[in-house]
Amino acid sequence: PREQMRTIARQNITFAESFDVKVILAACGTISSNAPDIIAANATKTIGVLLPGAERLAATGRKELGVIATKTSIESGAFQLSISRFAPDAKITAAACPDFVPMIESGHYLPDDPMVQRIVAPLKDVGALLLGCTHYGLIADAICEYLGKDVVLVGAADASAETMVRYLRDCDMLASGGGSESYYTSGSTADFEALA
């Protein structure tokens, strides 16, 4: 439910802020589309995937635009609204893909997978497609092969990561040397480790 996602967003941002971070990337299209106000209202700069993805999609200059995301993201209308803000004259086709995340997490995402073809079929006429869920980059090749090479794929994850790097650079906060990585999960660590 939307309210539960908003609570999760608040909790995750508070958790990340406890590490005294420079910036937070909320790398989830569902959270970004259902809690943009929470993402924007933090002491620590927090970037979601919604606006960077929509802006990058609009920058393709195509007039037939598509977005695929989770059911909750598409039902919120946030991606469609953001895209139309950056590309007011574009025709936007949105498709919910509730089966993609479980399919991706199980490791099944081949171009000839009937599920990929079934879900992406309504988007056959788009000139550019936004992958609104950060999982979807893993099936970009399958989507591209089905839609054809002329369709520009835009990853919301890539666009937001570049926005974060640009912010750090503009604020002169890029790290000068190496660093360390830590991973936390609210689920099974064994499952997370296998998927990673």
Side-chain angles (χ1 to χ4, degrees):
R2 185 171 186 269
E3 280 312 310
Q4 184 177 3
M5 282 185 282
R6 292 174 60 78
T7 298
I8 290 169
R10 283 188 200 94
Q11 291 170 340
N12 286 350
I13 289 169
T14 300
F15 179 75
E17 286 181 317
S18 73
F19 294 95
D20 193 31
V21 296
K22 300 173 192 176
V23 63
I24 297 169
L25 175 57
C28 175
T30 306
I31 293 291
S32 294
S33 60
N34 284 277
D37 55 324
I38 293 169
I39 289 171
N42 298 299
T44 304
K45 173 71 172 177
T46 305
I47 299 165
V49 300
L50 179 66
L51 294 178
E55 186 173 17
R56 168 83 67 80
L57 183 70
T60 65
R62 305 291 177 98
K63 294 301 178 195
E64 302 275 336
L65 303 176
V67 58
I68 56 173
T70 64
K71 183 175 185 280
T72 308
S73 293
I74 296 300
E75 286 177 351
S76 77
F79 273 105
Q80 300 92 308
L81 188 63
S82 296
I83 294 166
S84 65
R85 178 177 140 197
F86 292 110
D89 298 329
K91 178 186 175 204
I92 301 165
T93 303
C97 305
D99 298 325
F100 271 4
V101 171
M103 182 181 82
I104 291 165
E105 290 186 350
S106 68
H108 301 289
Y109 42 88
L110 299 173
D112 60 351
D113 190 308
M115 188 180 300
V116 172
Q117 295 177 7
R118 178 179 54 80
I119 292 171
V120 180
L123 302 157
K124 258 312 208 184
D125 295 328
V126 301
L129 177 65
L130 176 63
L131 308 179
C133 172
T134 52
H135 281 75
Y136 296 174
L138 294 170
I139 58 170
D141 289 344
I143 293 168
C144 189
E145 187 167 319
Y146 179 72
L147 291 179
K149 302 288 185 206
D150 291 336
V151 176
V152 178
L153 292 188
V154 174
D158 297 331
S160 58
E162 289 168 11
T163 298
M164 182 179 71
V165 170
R166 192 167 44 253
Y167 168 78
L168 289 168
R169 186 180 302 115
D170 291 349
C171 295
D172 198 27
M173 291 193 293
L174 282 173
S176 58
S180 63
E181 297 176 12
S182 298
Y183 298 90
Y184 300 87
T185 178
S186 58
S188 160
T189 55
D191 289 350
F192 177 81
E193 198 169 327
L195 183 60

